[in-house]
Amino acid sequence: MIVSGIGTGIIYYPSTKNACLWFMDYNGIIIGILETMISLGSFLSALIGEKIINKEKKKSANNLYELGIAINIKNFLIVEVITVFIVLLLSFLLMFVKEETDNKKEIEKLAPIEMKNKADNHSNLSAASTGKKSYKKKLMVALKSKRLILFTIILVLTSQGPAMMFSLYRGIGEDKNIDTGTLQLIGSVNFIFECLSGIITGILCDYVDLKLLLLIICGVSTVIVSTYCLTFKNNHAFFWSTNLESFFNGGIFPYSDCYSMKVFGPEIYIELLSYISFISTFFIVAFSPLAFFIENKLKVKD
């Protein structure tokens, strides 16, 4: 996971920034497409992995598989490494870097909300955006911005419930006698909701007020998590609540990208998005022992 995080910082953020610079009026759509492709890539990777690792669909005994299946994991990793290398090479050859602009009109297109917010360091951010201050000053002004601080707090508070929910839904389903077929279907259909979430949220970021969109995403996500226990007695309710949470919580990722790009501009987009992602992930990891405790309580009850 550490290596994956480093790879994300090196590959995803710079390429996303470059794509947005080429299509400055459609940042949300571009980011939505990229997020959707990530979800689709995870799904395709899982399908390929299943065919290579356990193509005969052998079942486990006490959560353990036979040695032959474990050995096949190495073959799958080799295929993954070769595939990723080929894709990265093609991407490198097809990448055309768009130079950043200091033109004030272009910056205002990328940061309309912050430009209108007189009370939130407007003068400092606009001056930083036009190149009148150093890169370090631009970053420090953004990090101290009330807008960024409040946004980070909202993400931290909103992300804990869904993280717990997705780590425990299978254990809860088994404990509450949810049909096994329903639990398997949730895992299969989940990627569809993630794909739809990426592209739909991205498009909305271009045409809907960002404050209103954040209220809808976080509000609905919180309501679903808060009422999740009411769905434990019904297979259909459990299925839809889990997948709808995947949809709304999945919208946070493209929204964060669009928010960083549109509000603060492309120059410090990578740094701010890395900061937001780190803070959110840190708190999710901090809460993970609670999920572990609950899951073990379920097993003890069995």
Side-chain angles (χ1 to χ4, degrees):
M1 291 304 295
I2 293 174
V3 173
S4 175
I6 295 173
T8 299
I10 294 174
I11 299 171
Y12 173 72
Y13 294 157
S15 58
T16 301
K17 173 183 175 180
N18 185 54
C20 288
L21 286 172
W22 280 102
F23 304 95
M24 289 188 289
D25 292 330
Y26 305 99
N27 291 168
I29 295 176
I30 296 301
I31 290 172
I33 292 173
L34 295 177
E35 290 286 349
T36 299
M37 295 307 295
I38 290 175
S39 299
L40 183 60
S42 299
F43 174 71
L44 293 177
S45 180
L47 287 181
I48 296 172
E50 184 69 21
K51 294 295 182 181
I52 295 176
I53 298 172
N54 190 14
K55 58 184 178 181
E56 296 179 2
K57 297 183 179 181
K58 296 180 180 179
K59 295 184 178 181
S60 64
N62 298 322
N63 294 322
L64 294 175
Y65 289 89
E66 61 183 55
L67 181 60
I69 292 178
I71 293 176
N72 287 337
I73 293 177
K74 293 192 295 184
N75 299 329
F76 171 63
L77 292 177
I78 292 174
V79 172
E80 282 281 271
V81 169
I82 295 174
T83 303
V84 170
F85 177 79
I86 293 173
V87 171
L88 289 179
L89 181 61
L90 291 173
S91 300
F92 176 78
L93 295 175
L94 295 172
M95 178 72 72
F96 299 94
V97 178
K98 174 74 171 179
E99 295 295 332
E100 294 180 41
T101 177
D102 288 330
N103 186 281
K104 187 176 180 180
K105 291 184 178 180
E106 297 293 348
I107 295 298
E108 288 178 350
K109 284 183 180 179
L110 287 167
I113 297 176
E114 196 63 33
M115 292 298 174
K116 294 177 182 178
N117 189 358
K118 303 282 185 181
D120 192 14
N121 297 317
H122 166 270
S123 58
N124 288 334
L125 279 173
S126 68
S129 298
T130 53
K132 295 179 180 178
K133 294 187 177 182
S134 67
Y135 162 81
K136 183 178 179 181
K137 185 66 176 178
K138 297 174 188 177
L139 187 58
M140 292 307 298
V141 168
L143 289 173
K144 293 178 182 178
S145 168
K146 292 179 182 178
R147 191 175 288 275
L148 181 67
I149 293 173
L150 289 174
F151 179 64
T152 305
I153 291 174
I154 290 172
L155 288 189
V156 167
L157 294 177
T158 307
S159 61
Q160 308 312 312
M164 292 273 292
M165 181 174 167
F166 291 128
S167 64
L168 293 172
Y169 85 86
R170 183 170 289 276
I172 291 174
E174 293 175 352
D175 182 69
K176 300 300 180 180
N177 297 318
I178 297 294
D179 183 64
T180 303
T182 300
L183 295 177
Q184 293 175 344
L185 190 60
I186 289 175
S188 301
V189 174
N190 195 258
F191 95 96
I192 298 177
F193 284 80
E194 291 181 356
C195 290
L196 291 174
S197 176
I199 189 64
I200 292 176
T201 304
I203 293 173
L204 290 176
C205 283
D206 283 337
Y207 299 101
V208 178
D209 180 73
L210 290 181
K211 289 182 180 179
L212 175 61
L213 186 57
L214 181 63
L215 176 63
I216 294 174
I217 292 174
C218 293
V220 176
S221 176
T222 302
V223 169
I224 293 175
V225 172
S226 302
T227 59
Y228 194 45
C229 59
L230 301 178
T231 69
F232 292 169
K233 295 182 179 181
N234 185 281
N235 290 330
H236 296 292
F238 189 82
F239 171 84
W240 283 109
S241 61
T242 305
N243 282 303
L244 285 175
E245 179 58 32
S246 177
F247 177 84
F248 284 98
N249 183 65
I252 287 293
F253 298 102
Y255 182 92
S256 298
D257 286 38
C258 293
Y259 185 88
S260 301
M261 179 69 71
K262 291 178 179 292
V263 173
F264 299 101
E267 189 171 1
I268 53 176
Y269 156 80
I270 296 175
E271 291 82 350
L272 294 184
L273 194 58
S274 300
Y275 164 78
I276 293 172
S277 300
F278 173 78
I279 296 297
S280 300
T281 303
F282 174 81
F283 278 94
I284 289 176
V285 172
F287 273 81
S288 61
L290 180 58
F292 178 78
F293 173 78
I294 295 174
E295 188 173 17
N296 276 275
K297 280 291 184 181
L298 294 174
K299 291 180 179 179
V300 170
K301 183 178 178 180
D302 290 339

